[in-house]
Amino acid sequence: MNETQAHEPGSPPIGERVRVAGRHLFLLRAGEGGPAVVFLPGAGGVGLDYLNLHRAVAEFTTSVLYDRGGTGWSESADLPRTASEVATELRSLLAEAGVPGPYLLVGHGLGGANARRFAQVFPEDTAGFVGLEPFHEEWDAHMPADMHLDQTPAVAPGRFQTALLRVLSRPFYRKLYADWPAEVRRPLVAGHVSREWMLAGARERRNATALRAELRGGPAFPDIPAVYLAALGGDNGQRRVLTKKMLAELNDAKTALYTAAAAEVGAGEFRPVPEARHSTFHLDAPEPIVAVIRALHTRARTD
């Protein structure tokens, strides 16, 4: 059963809100030229989390950050949603904002599922794909049994849990975005420690098995340049509950998964990033990420 995100977000600190299909969506655009690079956040993430990558990419082409409906500074939506709904919403948003395709999509985690669905449904509008440890429908085929999608259900935190998380996570987010401009950092941190954003992330994460079925039931992924990057550093939570052997097995499984995913297309590639962690991939390894985006952008312009 779907649940509606309760909050009605105020004005974002930068960027704008564009009305699409009766809902206002946050968008930040910078740079010039094409193909435009569009960042699709992971579950629990928002567009401004990727401000560092956005600014670097905007130096050589158009870069777009946005928040899905029901997340961040976009208006409420029933969560979780299908990847088709998110992909169609994104295409309409880009058209309404006057950002022409085709697009080079950068998807992180759950955002990778939405980007892959966008490419399935709108292949003519997709110039390339960069996956930052993206969700993939063949996850279970490569992972240990205790890490299969149906073994890790996302449970929405209760009020006591969110209250505790707000206190404990605020210093973490302040440190994480210490280099962001103060006018962005303050509302971004406040959002991440809010009950509304926490619940939105939890509700999106529990849709994994449905997303798997949706992607499997769709058309073949188009033959476009695609690079899959895997964070092999291990999140702090993983390090607390997994042994070194289990972490090594997880990394081997991710390597196998993304190597196979890259082989789906003629111009596919897998790149491990040992120093990065999944949840903070975009902050741990901005230079290699931007280098991959630039390389795919150059290729898309010359193909």
Side-chain angles (χ1 to χ4, degrees):
M1 179 178 179
N2 287 347
E3 298 179 51
T4 301
Q5 186 183 358
H7 85 299
E8 292 294 340
S11 299
I14 55 176
E16 60 183 316
R17 296 172 81 196
V18 180
R19 188 171 179 83
V20 176
R23 179 182 297 122
H24 286 93
L25 302 176
F26 165 75
L27 178 140
L28 176 66
R29 175 181 181 176
E32 297 180 354
V37 175
V38 182
F39 291 88
L40 289 80
V46 298
L48 289 179
D49 291 340
Y50 304 84
L51 186 61
N52 59 332
L53 303 182
H54 170 74
R55 288 181 164 177
V57 169
E59 293 181 2
F60 59 87
T61 191
T62 301
S63 180
V64 176
L65 302 179
Y66 94 110
D67 294 342
R68 293 182 290 273
T71 71
W73 282 279
S74 288
E75 285 187 322
S76 298
D78 286 343
L79 299 175
R81 306 169 73 198
T82 68
S84 295
E85 289 174 323
V86 174
T88 301
E89 174 186 79
L90 174 57
R91 187 169 184 254
S92 298
L93 170 65
L94 294 169
E96 187 66 28
V99 183
Y103 311 106
L104 201 168
L105 305 176
V106 182
H108 184 190
L110 176 75
N114 296 323
R116 283 177 58 80
R117 187 58 175 162
F118 188 104
Q120 285 182 333
V121 179
F122 308 115
E124 71 283 358
D125 288 331
T126 311
F129 170 75
V130 177
L132 307 182
E133 203 153 278
F135 177 96
H136 194 281
E137 60 271 23
E138 297 307 321
W139 174 272
D140 286 359
H142 298 275
M143 293 295 153
D146 59 351
M147 294 183 183
H148 284 186
L149 296 178
D150 59 359
Q151 297 299 310
T152 54
V155 179
R159 290 194 174 275
F160 174 78
Q161 291 173 299
T162 52
L164 182 61
L165 285 171
R166 291 186 70 178
V167 174
L168 296 177
S169 63
R170 189 179 293 273
F172 168 77
Y173 284 112
R174 281 177 175 166
K175 181 178 180 181
L176 210 60
Y177 298 112
D179 293 335
W180 268 227
E183 66 272 17
V184 175
R185 182 179 65 252
R186 287 192 293 266
L188 184 60
V189 171
H192 274 297
V193 302
S194 70
R195 177 173 170 79
E196 291 79 14
W197 285 23
M198 291 181 189
L199 290 177
R203 289 166 181 163
E204 286 196 309
R205 289 186 188 96
R206 71 186 186 194
N207 204 33
T209 54
L211 289 177
R212 175 180 61 193
E214 186 179 4
L215 290 170
R216 282 180 174 173
F221 190 76
D223 191 14
I224 57 174
V227 179
Y228 291 82
L229 291 85
L232 304 184
D235 280 3
N236 292 336
Q238 291 176 334
R239 291 173 177 172
R240 285 194 294 267
V241 300
L242 301 178
T243 65
K244 289 184 178 181
K245 179 181 179 182
M246 293 170 70
L247 283 171
E249 290 174 347
L250 175 59
N251 284 341
D252 288 345
K254 288 193 290 190
T255 297
L257 168 64
Y258 295 126
T259 298
E264 294 176 331
V265 297
E269 185 179 351
F270 163 68
R271 295 192 186 185
V273 186
E275 69 273 22
R277 297 157 292 179
H278 174 81
S279 59
T280 54
F281 206 154
H282 51 301
L283 300 166
D284 296 336
E287 292 84 3
I289 293 171
V290 172
V292 166
I293 295 171
R294 184 188 287 272
L296 259 67
H297 176 265
T298 299
R299 177 171 185 143
R301 290 189 64 189
T302 56
D303 282 351

